[in-house]
């Protein structure tokens, strides 16, 4: 007998995402105990741009994680069935994010409406009359009509006032929340310092470890004050933005609605998880293949090199979209012919997402592998590799100790480049119709749906603009962060 | 009237000041040499003259005046860019160190020279003028060369083309920035001859930038010694080489390897050139100067003249006949920036290091019929040349073609030759880093041929290699401790024995290497090569070239080898650092009875260090014997030419005939004796008949048809 009012659903992609997070966390714990690694991460922590990026990425990650906690709500049992003791759960799989965003999700409009609008975007014949006018929204600004019963002409001024009022209130709420959070963190920090000072006695190692509490990443030992200030300012900005969004979002569609009247803010937030998954899981599939094959080809040479080169030239010579389309369609047929594998539509959509990751990964490793092969060819002839050979160090050990670490900067750059590239590739594939499941919300599907509306006059710009801004911030933050990581880990750049 | 006058030039890059108050003047037709180690600001000065400084560098004080026409001095620093472009190439020409990267690889020689000609208003008869220029710099068959690309030319030829391009604008001053550093000695001699002849023929002044005392002695009229962004001594050549006065200059001379210092230590300059952002309160050299007085650390020494006997003999030598006698006198004065009244004698450290010459070379006496440590017989390394779609082998590069020698414990065999003669490949083939095509390598009587990697592993500990480039030979991503421990880990040596004292000293300081069983030995090795045990946790980029080379030596020593193959271990280092490394190697040889196979092109180092010498030419040893036999009594014409090309630092410059031509390709060696196309003695027999070894004495063998036993 399940006492919970819901049934937990763990999708495959959820499991993979949490496994990835756990791996990162364990790696971070391990890295904390390695002095040189900690020193390198400390350099990252001292970098303002990097820490701002981390904060933003963490916000995105938080949304992604909230959206990955799936469940099926228990339905109120019909009076007759209650005695049976068998709970009935909703067919629809929802996530924690869906629950938090319920007001946005549950108040669709009929079709397009501009951000913060009170009326639909297009004129329609009003019911009961012969006139065509902009009908009122079902939810956006509905409270204005409910409370004030204001006349249509006085509405505009009233509307502006209401928006400002809600915005300022929201911002103040965000600020308050930020101050409260800061206060709690400070107190915790002081308490922790006192405790560890007692424990250590002399306390000279204390400042090294305690401040990690302050920052989202546990691996960060001592951020210097400017970076700490930058982080708290970023948090302030995020809090205020969230406050404004909440303040306005309870009465309006903050970023408008799309063709079928769904809230664009909700769609954008939901797209984050898809973007993160495609970016990270695909990279996970592609990276080992690219690194192993690239290094093997470059270092061993001979027939191994020939084989791997033929493999990737062949793969490269097939038009990418065609190959992916074929693979996705095959996968789709497979999924469609085996409905018994999936209990819910969400699981099926999830399987399609994973299949897309796998296929994208299998086709996108060639560029990185080619790059790594070339670099390995160069490194192989360097004298430190010769010296290792003179010691009789095995080939595997040379590749692992001498070649791989000297390739990591390329891998890191490629990782981020691919992350952004893959998020974009998803958009392209969704356009062709071979991307994610139509029921999965993603930046690609959003852009695809908004594409034609740019040609309208007046333009429907908000769908595209919000998808673009969210994607842009995500990719930019990832880029800046990787840049800082690469600099911090390059021993030649240290001074 | 001076052609170029530099006054109190100061260059800033951000907070650092690489050039701090340099003044010198160059008269028309004169060759002034800036001498100094890397990082002292020589090249920066040259770039400032051309106004080609990097964007972050700025001239903050001083003036540069250039007398482009008679009685009309231009201030180069305030000249508009438009005018400056005419000065570059037209007034001042420049040639660079690396001929391989100074020419555009996708333009024909004729086009590149034509471009330089067109820029300086010589649009008519370009081809004829280009041919004339190529003839001037001594390029044979210039008409054909005009249509060739740079890759079809050898390094020496490329440098000649660079000189021809610099001459295209008929400059009055030529800046030569290390013009021959990248070239072999025989080619260096040819290029320097060309430069010297052109200077005399065209009355062109030359600003020569070099770290090589020999090149400066050969070329310069006057010398300026630079140290840490300042000139510390200026003098006419004869006076300078006869009696260097600044402690830095004195020590540079003392650090040169020399046969008279065999078995004793070379004088070294402790430390290294300070970084450009150092702040000074006193003399810049005080920190490294053993004669430093308290005043040296607090006050900047002013220029003072040096009483010099040689100045008189020099006075009638310079070619220019400037009217101003007084100015001439000042210009040719020997001046130094030092508080010391009399020049210090570098002899002191040499005497201190004079450790019993007899016992220093115990290995010299070969014990009768003792088994040699290393015996190489008929070693061959041929690289296949593959062409076409199917990668068929169409020929072989005979990099090493039948090399034989033996090496006993505690002795040094120097393998000498120009680049491309196969000496490095031979070294690698002995270590089995390159699979030999034929021949035998026996280590303590055990053949290395056909051993599997597993069988080879125990033997790897016996022989190790030190590489030429200390910047490429250490993995930048590994810490020094890991680098040194790598061999021990791979070959499982060094865990048992623990240097207790060294272990204690380093305990607690570096927890990460302390955890490994090798930490104690790593610490001991670091101190053994003159570094601190605490450096094990640092990365290679934190070390200077000399320190890196010490780390590389420690890495090789870690597995207790009996044989070290040293591949040009000092050619990338400055003279003073070279002396430190050579001293270290000599000391290690004495203490561990190490045998060195020393691969080098530097005859002075060979003369100082080696017991035996083998001269290689095109994959074959043409002459071998003891150092005295080969260097004092050379028999083979190639050995003679090689020795003649070495530029002496002391004494008179011998008139000599430089070796003509360049080494042919090993893919297509000449018939008969490989040396015959360049040999002054060659006749028809040499072209058809390959020579065999001629035994001159028990140890001396020569491969030449012209020599009778």
């Amino acid at each position: 007998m399940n006492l919970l009012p819901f049934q937990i659903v763990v999708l495959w992609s959820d499991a993979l995402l949490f496994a990835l997070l756990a791996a990162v966390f364990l790696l971070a714990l391990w890295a904390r105990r390695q002095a040189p690694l900690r020193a390198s991460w400390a350099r990252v922590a001292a970098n303002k741009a990097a820490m701002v990026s981390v904060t933003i990425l963490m916000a995105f990650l938080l949304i992604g994680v909230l959206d990955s906690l799936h469940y099926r709500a228990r339905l109120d049992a019909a009076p007759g069935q209650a005695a049976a003791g068998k709970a009935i759960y909703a067919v629809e799989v929802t996530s924690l994010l869906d629950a938090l965003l319920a007001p946005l999700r549950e108040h669709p409009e009929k079709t397009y409406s501009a951000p913060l609008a009170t009326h639909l975007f297009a004129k329609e014949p009003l019911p009961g009359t012969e006139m065509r006018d902009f009908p009122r929204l079902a939810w956006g600004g509905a409270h204005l009509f409910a409370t004030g019963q204001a006349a249509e002409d006085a509405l505009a001024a009233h509307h502006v006032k209401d928006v400002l009022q809600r915005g300022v209130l929201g911002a103040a709420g965000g600020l308050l929340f930020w101050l409260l959070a800061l206060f709690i963190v400070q107190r915790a920090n002081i308490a922790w310092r006192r405790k560890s000072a007692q424990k250590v006695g002399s306390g000279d190692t204390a400042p090294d470890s305690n401040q990690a509490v302050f920052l989202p990443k546990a691996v960060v030992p001592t951020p210097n004050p400017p970076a700490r200030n930058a982080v708290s300012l970023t948090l302030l900005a995020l809090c205020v933005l969230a406050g404004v969004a909440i303040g306005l979002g309870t009465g309006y569609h903050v970023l408008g609605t799309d063709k079928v009247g769904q809230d664009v803010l909700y769609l954008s937030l939901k797209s984050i998880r898809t973007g993160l998954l495609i970016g990270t899981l695909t990279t996970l599939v592609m990276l080992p293949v690219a690194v192993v094959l690239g290094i093997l080809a470059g270092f061993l040479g001979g027939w191994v090199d020939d084989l791997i080169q033929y493999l990737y030239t062949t793969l490269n010579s097939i038009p990418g979209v065609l190959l992916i389309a074929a693979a996705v369609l095959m996968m789709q047929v497979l999924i469609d012919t085996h409905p018994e594998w999936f209990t819910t539509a969400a699981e099926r959509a999830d399987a399609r997402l994973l299949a897309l990751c796998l296929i994208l990964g299998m086709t996108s490793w060639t560029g990185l592998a080619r790059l790594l092969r070339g670099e390995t060819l160069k490194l192989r002839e360097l004298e430190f590799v010769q010296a290792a050979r003179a010691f009789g160090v095995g080939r595997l050990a040379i590749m692992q100790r001498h070649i791989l670490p000297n390739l990591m900067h390329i891998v890191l750059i490629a990782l981020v480049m691919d992350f952004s590239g893959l998020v974009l590739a998803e958009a392209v594939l969704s356009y062709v119709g071979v991307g994610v499941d139509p029921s999965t919300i993603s930046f690609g599907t959003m852009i695809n749906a908004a594409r034609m509306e740019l040609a309208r006059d007046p333009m429907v710009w908000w769908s595209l603009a919000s998808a673009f801004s969210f994607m842009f911030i995500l990719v930019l933050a990832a880029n800046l962060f990787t840049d800082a990581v690469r600099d911090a880990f390059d021993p030649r750049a240290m001074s | 009237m001076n052609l170029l006058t530099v006054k109190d030039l100061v260059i800033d890059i951000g907070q650092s000041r690489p050039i701090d108050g340099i003044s010198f003047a160059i008269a028309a037709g004169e060759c002034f040499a800036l001498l100094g180690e890397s990082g002292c600001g020589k090249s920066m000065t040259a770039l400032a003259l051309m106004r080609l400084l990097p964007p972050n560098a700025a001239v903050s004080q001083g003036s540069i005046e250039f007398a482009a026409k008679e009685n009309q001095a231009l201030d180069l620093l305030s000249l508009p860019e438009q005018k400056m472009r005419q000065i570059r190439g037209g007034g001042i020409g420049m040639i660079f160190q690396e001929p391989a990267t100074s020419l555009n690889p996708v333009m024909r020689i004729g086009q590149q020279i034509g471009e330089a000609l067109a820029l300086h208003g010589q649009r008519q008869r370009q081809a004829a003028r280009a041919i004339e220029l190529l003839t001037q710099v001594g390029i044979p068959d210039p008409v054909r060369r005009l249509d060739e690309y740079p890759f079809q030319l050898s390094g020496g030829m490329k440098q000649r083309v660079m000189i021809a391009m610099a001459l295209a604008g008929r400059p009055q001053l030529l800046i030569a920035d290390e013009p021959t550093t990248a070239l072999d000695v025989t080619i260096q001699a040819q290029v320097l001859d060309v430069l010297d002849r052109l200077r005399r023929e065209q009355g062109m002044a030359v600003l020569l930038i070099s770290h090589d005392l020999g090149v400066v002695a050969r070329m310069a009229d006057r010398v300026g010694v630079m140290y840490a962004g300042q000139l510390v001594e200026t003098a006419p050549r004869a006076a300078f080489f006869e009696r260097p006065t600044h402690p830095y200059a004195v020590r540079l001379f003392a650090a040169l390897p020399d046969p008279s210092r065999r078995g004793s230590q070379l004088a070294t300059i402790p430390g290294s050139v300070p970084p450009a952002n150092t702040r000074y309160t006193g003399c810049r050299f005080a920190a490294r100067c053993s004669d430093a007085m308290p005043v040296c650390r607090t006050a900047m020494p002013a220029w003072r003249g040096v009483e010099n006997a040689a100045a008189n003999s020099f006075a009638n030598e310079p070619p220019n006949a400037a009217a101003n006698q007084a100015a001439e006198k000042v210009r040719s004065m020997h001046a130094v920036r030092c508080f010391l009244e009399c020049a210090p004698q570098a002899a002191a450290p040499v005497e201190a290091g004079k450790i019993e010459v007899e016992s220093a070379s115990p290995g010299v006496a070969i014990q009768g019929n003792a088994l040699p440590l290393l015996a190489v017989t008929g070693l061959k390394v041929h690289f296949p040349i593959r062409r076409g779609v199917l990668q068929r082998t169409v020929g072989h590069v005979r990099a090493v073609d039948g090399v034989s020698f033996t090496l006993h414990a505690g002795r040094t065999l120097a393998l000498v030759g120009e680049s491309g003669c196969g000496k490095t490949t031979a070294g690698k083939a002995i270590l089995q880093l390159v699979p030999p095509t034929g021949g035998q390598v026996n280590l303590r009587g055990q053949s290395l041929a056909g051993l599997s990697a597993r069988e080879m592993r125990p033997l790897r500990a016996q022989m190790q290699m030190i590489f030429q480039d200390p910047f490429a030979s250490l993995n930048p991503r590994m810490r020094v401790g890991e680098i040194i421990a790598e061999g021990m880990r791979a070959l499982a040596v060094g865990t048992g024995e623990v240097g207790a004292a060294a272990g204690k000293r380093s305990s607690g300081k570096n927890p990460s290497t302390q955890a490994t069983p090798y930490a104690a030995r790593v610490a001991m090795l670091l101190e053994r090569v003159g570094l601190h045990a605490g450096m094990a946790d640092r990365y290679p980029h934190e070390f200077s070239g000399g320190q890196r080379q010490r780390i590389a030596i420690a890495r090789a020593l870690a597995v207790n080898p009996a044989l070290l193959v040293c591949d040009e271990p000092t050619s990338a280092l400055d003279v003073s650092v070279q002396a430190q490394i050579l001293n270290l190697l000599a000391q290690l040889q004495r203490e561990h009875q190490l045998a060195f196979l020393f691969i080098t092109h530097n005859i002075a180092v060979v003369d100082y260090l080696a017991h035996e010498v083998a001269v290689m030419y095109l994959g074959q040893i043409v002459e071998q014997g003891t150092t005295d036999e080969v260097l004092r009594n050379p028999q083979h014409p190639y050995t003679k030419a090689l020795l003649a090309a070495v530029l002496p630092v002391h004494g008179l410059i011998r008139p000599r005939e430089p070796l003509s031509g360049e080494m042919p390709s090993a893919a297509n060696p000449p018939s008969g004796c490989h040396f015959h196309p360049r040999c002054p003695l060659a006749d028809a027999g040499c072209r058809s008949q390959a020579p065999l070894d001629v035994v001159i004495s028990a140890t001396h063998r020569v491969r030449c048809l012209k020599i009778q036993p």
Side-chain angles (χ1 to χ4, degrees):
Chain A
M1 179 82 203
N2 197 344
L3 292 175
L4 294 171
F6 53 82
Q7 182 191 32
I8 293 173
V9 178
V10 180
L11 300 176
W12 271 105
S13 57
D14 298 343
L16 284 172
L17 185 69
F18 287 120
L20 194 64
L21 284 178
V24 169
F25 184 69
L26 288 179
L27 216 63
L29 280 186
W30 173 78
R32 249 178 90 79
R33 274 186 275 127
Q34 312 287 316
L37 279 179
R38 216 168 59 194
S40 292
W41 281 111
R43 266 193 296 279
V44 178
N47 185 329
K48 269 192 246 178
M51 291 319 288
V52 169
S53 308
V54 166
T55 318
I56 293 171
L57 284 179
M58 283 297 145
F60 274 100
L61 193 63
L62 180 71
I63 294 169
V65 167
L66 284 178
D67 202 11
S68 297
L69 297 165
H70 287 106
Y71 66 94
R72 287 165 72 183
R74 182 154 61 186
L75 296 179
D76 294 330
Q81 294 172 317
K86 182 100 175 147
I88 297 172
Y89 296 101
V91 182
E92 196 187 1
V93 175
T94 42
S95 73
L96 207 53
L97 189 76
D98 291 330
L100 291 173
L101 300 178
L104 301 182
R105 193 164 68 101
E106 286 162 2
H107 299 286
E109 303 296 340
K110 202 171 166 197
T111 180
Y112 291 114
S113 72
L116 300 175
T118 53
H119 290 80
L120 273 187
F121 182 67
K123 280 187 181 176
E124 278 184 8
L126 293 178
T129 63
E130 292 299 302
M131 283 163 59
R132 280 169 58 85
D133 201 355
F134 301 104
R136 285 178 181 173
L137 294 184
W139 190 65
H143 57 281
L144 297 178
F145 309 108
T147 55
Q149 291 298 332
E152 285 288 322
D153 47 345
L155 185 68
H158 195 50
H159 179 208
V160 170
K161 199 179 134 205
D162 187 57
V163 165
L164 283 177
Q165 201 178 343
R166 282 169 181 269
V168 169
L169 268 178
L175 185 68
L176 264 178
F177 178 78
W178 178 72
L179 286 173
L180 192 71
L182 205 64
F183 178 72
I184 291 172
V185 167
Q186 289 283 19
R187 289 309 296 258
N189 209 354
I190 292 167
W192 174 275
R193 189 173 305 198
R194 199 172 294 149
K195 203 170 133 197
S196 55
Q198 280 167 358
K199 207 158 54 181
V200 179
S202 68
D204 59 347
T205 56
D208 207 57
S209 51
N210 59 22
Q211 291 179 359
V213 179
F214 183 77
L215 289 160
K217 259 188 123 74
V219 286
V220 177
T222 38
N224 65 4
R228 199 192 310 172
N229 292 343
V231 168
S232 30
L233 285 179
T234 316
L235 283 175
L236 172 66
L238 287 175
C239 284
V240 168
L241 272 180
V244 171
I246 291 169
L248 293 172
T250 46
Y252 299 94
H253 295 289
V254 181
L255 296 176
T257 53
D258 74 348
K259 189 171 190 174
V260 291
Q262 280 179 297
D263 188 276
V264 172
L265 178 63
Y266 171 74
L267 292 179
S268 304
L269 291 176
K270 286 289 279 183
S271 299
I272 288 173
R273 174 176 183 268
T274 317
L276 283 177
L277 277 180
I278 289 190
T280 50
L281 294 186
T282 307
T283 318
L284 274 191
V285 174
M286 163 268 253
L287 205 60
V289 182
V291 170
V292 169
L293 292 186
I295 294 182
L296 281 180
F299 190 75
L300 297 180
W303 66 268
V304 180
D305 188 20
D306 288 347
L307 190 73
I308 293 171
Q309 276 197 73
Y310 275 116
L311 192 64
Y312 69 57
T313 17
T314 311
L315 257 180
N316 257 9
S317 56
I318 305 170
V321 175
L322 205 66
L323 190 66
I324 293 168
V328 168
L329 289 174
M330 272 159 59
M331 199 60 88
Q332 203 174 329
V333 169
L334 186 73
I335 288 170
D336 287 347
T337 49
H338 296 277
E340 70 277 8
W341 290 355
F342 313 101
T343 51
T344 59
E347 277 181 37
R348 203 169 63 231
D350 188 62
R352 230 184 119 168
L353 179 67
L354 282 185
L356 182 66
C357 288
L358 193 73
I359 292 158
L360 274 175
M362 291 316 288
T363 50
S364 62
W365 59 270
T366 52
L368 181 59
R370 179 178 295 192
L371 210 63
L372 293 181
R373 172 180 172 271
E375 193 67 14
T376 308
L377 280 178
K378 199 183 87 188
L379 288 173
R380 181 178 74 169
E381 297 304 323
L382 281 189
E383 292 175 341
F384 62 80
V385 175
Q386 303 266 333
R389 288 179 56 208
F391 283 122
V393 178
R395 289 194 284 198
L396 206 64
I398 290 182
M399 285 188 248
Q400 181 204 331
R401 269 215 299 277
H402 294 287
I403 307 281
L404 185 61
N406 283 295
L407 294 175
M408 280 323 277
H409 61 288
I410 298 180
V411 171
L412 262 178
I413 298 165
L415 214 109
V416 182
M417 292 287 177
D418 285 350
F419 177 82
S420 18
L422 288 167
V423 176
L424 300 176
E426 188 267 330
V428 171
L429 292 176
S430 297
Y431 170 53
V432 183
V434 293
V436 291
D437 193 83
S439 69
T440 310
I441 302 164
S442 76
F443 290 125
T445 48
M446 274 178 79
I447 292 172
N448 191 30
R451 184 173 43 89
M452 289 307 285
E453 308 306 331
L454 275 181
R456 272 170 85 136
D457 188 35
M459 213 189 331
V460 175
W461 48 269
W462 46 88
S463 277
L464 204 66
S466 51
F468 173 80
S469 326
F470 273 82
M471 230 158 85
F472 172 73
I473 294 170
L474 177 64
V475 170
L476 183 69
N479 267 318
L480 288 176
F481 177 63
T482 319
D483 227 28
V485 170
R486 198 199 55 228
D487 287 350
F489 278 81
D490 187 355
R492 283 163 294 194
M494 291 177 200
S495 52
Chain B
M1 177 86 185
N2 286 318
L3 180 68
L4 179 83
T5 314
V6 177
K7 276 195 194 123
D8 300 321
L9 186 71
V10 176
I11 297 175
D12 284 326
I13 299 181
Q15 291 301 306
S16 63
R17 181 165 278 193
I19 302 290
D20 191 6
I22 280 191
S23 306
F24 62 87
I26 302 176
E30 180 189 42
C31 178
F32 180 71
L34 278 179
L35 177 72
E37 292 181 290
S38 52
C40 71
K42 310 181 297 272
S43 296
M44 189 72 81
T45 311
L47 290 176
L49 298 184
M50 297 290 269
R51 257 184 40 200
L52 290 173
L53 286 172
N56 56 346
V59 175
S60 52
Q61 285 173 45
S63 68
I64 301 172
E65 282 187 358
F66 181 68
K69 296 191 188 91
E70 203 61 38
N71 302 323
Q72 185 208 344
L74 294 171
D75 181 5
L76 292 192
L77 291 177
S78 60
L79 214 58
E81 184 65 22
Q82 179 95 30
K83 289 262 174 59
M84 192 62 212
R85 284 223 300 276
Q86 293 167 7
I87 298 285
R88 288 185 202 129
I92 307 177
M94 188 158 181
I95 52 176
F96 300 91
Q97 173 172 353
E98 189 52 76
T101 53
S102 309
L103 293 173
N104 184 341
V106 295
M107 275 170 76
R108 293 172 198 276
I109 301 301
Q111 287 174 308
Q112 307 207 28
I113 297 178
E115 192 183 21
L117 288 170
L119 280 175
H120 296 287
Q122 303 170 40
R123 288 173 196 282
Q124 274 82 48
R125 299 179 49 247
Q126 270 187 9
R129 174 91 173 106
I131 290 169
E132 183 191 328
L133 283 170
L134 288 181
T135 316
Q136 277 180 4
V137 295
I139 289 187
D141 201 359
V143 182
R144 186 168 58 90
R145 294 291 179 196
L146 284 184
D147 280 334
E148 290 192 343
Y149 287 96
F151 74 88
Q152 293 169 291
L153 270 59
S154 65
M157 286 292 174
K158 280 185 210 163
Q159 196 61 302
R160 286 165 195 250
V161 171
M162 273 305 294
I163 296 173
M165 283 171 67
L167 292 178
R170 296 200 177 91
Q172 291 140 292
L173 173 66
L174 181 70
I175 300 175
D177 187 356
E178 306 265 12
T180 57
T181 308
L183 305 175
D184 279 311
V185 274
T186 57
I187 310 299
Q188 163 172 299
Q190 295 170 8
V191 170
L192 290 181
D193 280 350
V194 167
L195 266 180
D196 204 40
R197 181 170 53 76
L198 289 171
R199 173 169 86 86
R200 295 188 192 289
E201 280 173 11
Q202 313 201 346
M204 181 175 63
V206 175
L207 173 61
L208 178 73
I209 290 172
S210 184
H211 70 281
D212 189 331
L213 287 165
V215 170
V216 173
R218 161 84 179 79
M219 295 290 292
D221 295 325
R222 282 194 308 124
V223 181
V225 181
M226 277 190 81
Y227 184 78
Q230 283 188 331
L231 277 172
V232 293
E233 180 168 0
T234 58
R237 179 190 64 212
F240 177 73
F241 283 92
E242 194 166 296
R243 196 169 156 225
T245 307
H246 194 278
Y248 175 63
V250 172
R251 281 171 180 77
L252 273 187
F253 277 99
L256 284 179
D258 189 285
S260 64
R261 299 194 177 99
R262 275 184 80 90
S264 63
Q265 288 205 323
L266 295 170
T268 59
I269 308 177
S272 54
V273 177
N277 55 3
T278 318
R279 295 260 167 243
Y280 304 93
T281 48
C283 171
R284 306 193 156 211
F285 189 60
R288 299 174 70 190
C289 182
S290 56
D291 299 301
M293 303 173 289
V295 64
C296 295
R297 298 183 205 285
T298 53
M300 188 76 177
W303 284 103
R304 66 177 177 80
V306 178
E307 300 291 319
N308 211 318
N312 297 332
S313 62
F314 182 79
N316 44 21
E317 200 183 310
N320 76 356
N324 197 329
Q325 285 278 329
E328 175 61 26
K329 203 170 177 188
V330 170
R331 214 179 54 72
S332 63
M333 208 174 72
H334 187 174
V336 70
R337 218 166 181 181
C338 183
F339 287 117
L340 288 172
E341 284 302 318
C342 58
Q345 294 303 307
V350 177
E351 290 308 324
K354 197 113 188 161
I355 329 165
E356 323 93 78
V357 182
E358 301 318 313
S359 71
S361 43
V364 175
I366 307 167
Q367 292 92 346
N369 50 3
L371 193 62
L373 176 68
L374 177 74
V376 178
T377 31
L379 183 69
K380 283 184 185 163
V381 183
H382 294 180
F383 297 111
I385 305 168
R386 296 181 197 276
R387 291 263 162 76
V389 186
L390 295 174
Q391 297 286 298
R392 279 183 310 122
T393 305
V394 295
H396 284 95
V397 175
R398 298 158 188 270
V400 180
D401 200 15
V403 162
S404 308
F405 58 82
T406 57
L407 179 57
H408 289 261
R411 287 176 69 85
T412 303
L413 170 70
L415 211 49
V416 184
E418 292 175 277
S419 55
C421 73
K423 50 192 196 304
T424 297
T425 310
K428 286 187 176 168
I430 289 166
L431 291 185
Q432 310 290 311
L433 291 177
V434 174
T437 316
Q440 282 287 323
V441 178
N442 288 297
L443 188 72
R444 294 196 202 279
Q446 186 179 0
S447 171
L448 301 186
L451 289 188
S452 69
R454 186 187 298 272
E455 294 164 322
M456 193 59 208
R457 196 156 293 171
L459 294 171
R460 292 242 179 243
Q462 301 279 316
M463 43 186 199
Q464 276 305 311
M465 188 153 182
I466 297 168
F467 295 90
Q468 172 173 5
D469 183 357
F471 290 86
S473 67
L474 305 179
N475 185 345
R477 303 262 164 185
M478 277 164 83
R479 270 167 287 142
V480 168
E482 296 171 311
I483 290 172
I484 296 175
E486 176 164 52
M488 297 191 259
R489 188 171 291 141
L491 300 174
V493 293
T495 38
E497 41 170 325
V498 165
K504 247 177 226 143
R505 212 171 305 152
S506 69
S507 64
K509 256 200 290 190
N510 31 3
S512 60
T513 45
Q514 193 63 26
T516 73
Y518 309 103
R521 189 164 158 79
V522 167
M524 186 204 77
L525 285 163
L526 278 172
E527 303 206 336
R528 187 80 206 67
V529 296
L531 299 171
H532 302 297
M535 290 175 172
D537 267 354
R538 300 217 214 138
Y539 284 95
H541 72 93
E542 297 172 56
F543 296 90
S544 67
Q547 287 175 318
R548 283 160 166 257
Q549 205 57 292
R550 287 172 192 267
I551 294 168
I553 293 171
R555 168 175 65 186
L557 287 180
V559 294
N560 297 320
L563 167 69
L564 270 186
V565 177
C566 307
D567 185 5
E568 311 245 17
T570 61
S571 65
L573 305 175
D574 280 318
V575 176
S576 65
V577 181
Q578 163 174 295
Q580 294 170 8
I581 298 294
L582 291 180
N583 282 344
L584 176 65
L585 288 174
Q587 188 193 351
L588 292 171
Q589 181 166 52
R590 275 197 302 277
E591 290 170 14
H592 298 281
Q593 284 293 297
L594 284 174
F596 289 146
L597 178 61
F598 210 91
I599 297 166
T600 186
H601 64 268
N602 189 332
I603 303 287
V605 170
V606 173
D607 212 351
Y608 165 71
L609 195 76
H611 301 112
E612 291 157 59
V613 180
V615 181
M616 267 186 93
Y617 187 76
L618 219 57
Q620 298 183 338
I621 292 181
V622 294
E623 179 163 8
Q624 60 182 318
T626 64
T627 306
D628 277 339
E629 285 168 341
V630 175
L631 299 188
R632 307 282 168 269
N633 183 22
Q635 295 298 313
H636 196 279
Y638 177 65
T639 314
K640 288 179 182 166
L642 204 60
L643 293 177
V646 175
L647 296 168
V649 172
H650 300 284
L652 288 168
I653 295 163
R654 296 164 277 184
R656 73 224 136 67
E657 198 61 32
L659 191 59
S660 62
E662 284 161 23
M663 186 150 48
S665 157
N668 189 16
S671 61
C673 172
H674 289 350
F675 187 60
H676 82 255
R678 300 172 77 185
C679 184
L681 307 176
D683 58 18
C686 295
R687 278 184 262 284
S688 56
Q689 195 183 347
L692 294 172
D693 277 351
V694 178
V695 177
I696 290 178
S697 75
T699 51
H700 197 178
R701 279 179 293 158
V702 182
R703 192 172 278 197
C704 181
L705 291 170
K706 294 285 161 195
I707 289 172
Q708 304 308 320

